[in-house]
Amino acid sequence: MPRKPVTLVTGAGGEIGHALIPRLAAASHTIITLDLKPLPADTAAFVHRQYTGDISATEAIGEIANTYKVREIFHLAALLSTSSERSPALAHKVNVGGTLNMLDLANEQAASQGERVKMLFPSTIAVYGLPDRKTKNEFARIKEHQWQQPTTMYGCNKLYCEHLGRYMARYSATKAVDFRCVRLPGLISADTLPTGGTSDFGPEMLHAAAQGKPYECFVAEDTRIPFMAMPDAVDGILRLMAADAATLTQTSYNIGAFNPSAAEFAQMVLAAFPSAQITYKPNPLRQAICDAWPADVDDAPARSDFGHYPAYDLRRAFDDYLVPAVRRRYGLDTGNAGR
Ligand code: AKB
């Protein structure tokens, strides 16, 4: 029997998977997933078959390879920055070992299909490492090739995997993996909360306020990093994957949207939820991570090569997406939420 063509999403139970999978299903992808845990019901509803297993082991991957014709891979599985600092060996195993397994799978699938296989890799602003505040101010909108000296295990893992992908796409014997990578900023979703990241203070602040809970921010008020609303991240990923390979001049692209300081983010939260209680108690590990990340990214290549234009700036993200959706999520329809 011919193998069914499918799109594989790893780490499908995470935040990006939650937002991406319905969009892939709407675009008629037959989706199979690989995650450590069974998917939540709202994501599972869109999935043809889910595998539970470890991305850094090979059992489930072998079964997928034998059963399906994998045409595209969205390799989302990873430990985020704070988790990776706490468990660096595990981070390396999952972030690097898992990516190597996906590159191998893409390569083998391309060989058996006689066609290149596309692989989307979400990288991160953590691939950058600014040495001090002066440099962070000077290189305020960082370009892809600048300051690639990550200061975290996660950043090192992601940067190395970007290079592996570039190698597989352009220099390996087969060049069979059509590797495409976006460097994502901190993401803010109205529907889900991140775990183990360092940009988590943004979404945590908003979701706490909507629930009427006090929030102690783990970075200082003047901490500035780039953020993006989840729908723009998904749009950026889908646009990159849809682009004609001939238009892509690089394998890794910054994509940006807005970059408030923690205090500016808090002002937006307070405007929507005036009695939100937000205090600041910087955690030295997490503060140091954010201090080494750029204040903003230059995403000109993504704009010209595949038409990345975020729909949401900071104000629109709050007014048109985040606030209405978190109010719905927490059942706040009286106008008195969080007060
Ligand atoms: C993290 O905080 O680790 C991630 C990221 C910016 O890559 N959200």
Side-chain angles (χ1 to χ4, degrees), residues 154-314:
Y154 172 67
C156 292
N157 295 164
K158 287 284 187 178
L159 184 57
Y160 174 58
C161 289
E162 284 190 24
H163 287 302
L164 286 180
R166 185 178 52 82
Y167 158 76
M168 295 290 273
R170 294 192 172 175
Y171 305 102
S172 66
T174 60
K175 302 184 184 59
V177 184
D178 184 351
F179 179 86
R180 304 177 180 206
C181 162
V182 277
R183 288 185 182 162
L184 296 169
L187 300 181
I188 317 166
S189 168
D191 302 318
T192 51
L193 271 160
T195 31
T198 313
S199 57
D200 298 7
F201 66 89
E204 284 176 0
M205 203 184 273
L206 171 69
H207 284 257
Q211 295 171 85
K213 294 182 184 165
Y215 184 67
E216 187 177 84
C217 181
F218 57 76
V219 295
E221 290 173 79
D222 63 351
T223 306
R224 188 178 296 281
I225 59 167
F227 280 101
M228 176 176 276
M230 185 60 86
D232 275 333
V234 171
D235 279 348
I237 285 170
L238 293 175
R239 281 199 193 109
L240 174 59
M241 286 297 262
D244 182 342
T247 67
L248 300 177
T249 55
Q250 49 199 62
T251 44
S252 293
Y253 289 91
N254 285 338
I255 56 172
F258 48 85
N259 68 329
S261 66
E264 287 162 358
F265 198 96
Q267 273 161 25
M268 297 301 293
V269 171
L270 279 160
F273 302 100
S275 49
Q277 290 169 257
I278 301 166
T279 52
Y280 297 85
K281 187 172 176 206
N283 167 290
L285 170 88
R286 300 180 108 180
Q287 183 69 55
I289 293 175
C290 282
D291 288 346
W293 289 354
D296 201 2
V297 292
D298 180 334
D299 61 5
R303 290 178 188 242
S304 58
D305 287 9
F306 61 93
H308 164 72
Y309 286 99
Y312 296 103
D313 61 15
L314 180 63

